[in-house]
């Protein structure tokens, strides 16, 4: 299927919709998920217009994976959690609701169930607070 340039993440990349950003470089953007499955749930996306991991170029995939690792380390430190879940879906049949490649970086604690996927909007102020902590952890690491 052809890439849909009207998907939400494409609009965020073009600056047509806001996001709570934690990191950006030439090839990637990372921001808070507005419907988090846990506090600190962050998304990493490539800037390339790719729907999923099956159709992205190797260079953009490489950049996105590397940034996902950096963001995951920062989220772990910022949110003080023992575990990080990285999730990535390809196609609606696999649970993908936004057709632009993204990596979910989700903090995990023992005994804390994941919230429902893409269900409840978070308080924007809380997202900003988490983003500030994650940005600080990223800055410390670099
Ligand atoms: P998936 O269902 O795996 O394609 O994940 C899409 C995620 O994107 C889901 O966790 C909710 C999140 N999301 C949906 N709309 C927006 C939005 O407008 N802004 C942000 N930051 N996240 C969004």
């Amino acid at each position: 299927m052809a890439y849909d340039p009207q998907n939400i993440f494409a609009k965020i990349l073009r600056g047509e919709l806001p996001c709570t950003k934690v990191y950006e470089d030439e090839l990637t953007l990372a921001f808070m998920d507005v419907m988090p499955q846990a506090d600190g749930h962050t998304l990493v996306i490539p800037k390339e217009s790719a729907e999923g991991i099956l159709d992205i170029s190797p260079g953009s995939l490489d950049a996105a994976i590397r940034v996902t690792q950096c963001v995951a380390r920062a989220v772990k430190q910022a949110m003080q959690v023992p575990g990080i879940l990285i999730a990535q879906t390809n196609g609606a049949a696999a649970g993908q609701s936004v057709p632009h490649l993204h990596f979910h970086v989700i903090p995990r604690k023992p005994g804390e169930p994941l919230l429902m996927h893409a269900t409840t909007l978070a308080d924007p102020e809380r997202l900003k607070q988490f983003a500030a902590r994650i940005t600080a952890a990223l800055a410390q690491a670099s």
Side-chain angles (χ1 to χ4, degrees):
M1 207 172 77
Y3 178 81
D4 171 14
Q6 296 311 318
N7 77 74
I8 289 165
F9 294 168
K11 290 182 180 179
I12 287 174
L13 283 169
R14 291 195 297 268
E16 295 166 11
L17 287 175
C19 72
T20 306
K21 184 163 74 177
V22 300
Y23 177 82
E24 182 170 16
D25 63 25
E26 199 187 333
L27 295 174
T28 61
L29 177 68
F31 51 95
M32 304 310 295
D33 193 307
V34 289
M35 290 178 269
Q37 291 184 258
D39 285 350
H41 182 165
T42 305
L43 299 169
V44 178
I45 68 173
K47 291 188 175 177
E48 182 178 318
S49 299
E51 190 170 325
I53 206 164
L54 307 180
D55 54 334
I56 191 169
S57 70
S60 285
L61 178 59
D62 184 54
I65 286 283
R66 285 170 190 271
V67 169
T68 298
Q69 183 190 46
C70 293
V71 167
R73 286 177 175 154
V75 168
K76 185 170 188 282
Q77 185 189 325
M79 303 308 296
Q80 296 283 290
V81 289
I84 293 287
L85 170 67
I86 308 282
Q88 192 277 317
T89 53
N90 298 279
Q96 184 178 14
S97 59
V98 180
H100 181 108
L101 175 60
H102 49 282
F103 293 91
H104 295 266
V105 177
I106 308 176
R108 301 292 287 128
K109 289 180 195 164
E112 187 177 281
L114 276 181
L115 300 176
M116 290 282 285
H117 175 75
T119 308
T120 309
L121 277 173
D123 171 6
E125 281 311 310
R126 268 169 71 78
L127 291 186
K128 277 188 205 160
Q129 287 168 16
F130 296 141
R133 281 159 55 178
I134 296 164
T135 306
L138 279 167
Q140 225 178 44
S142 63

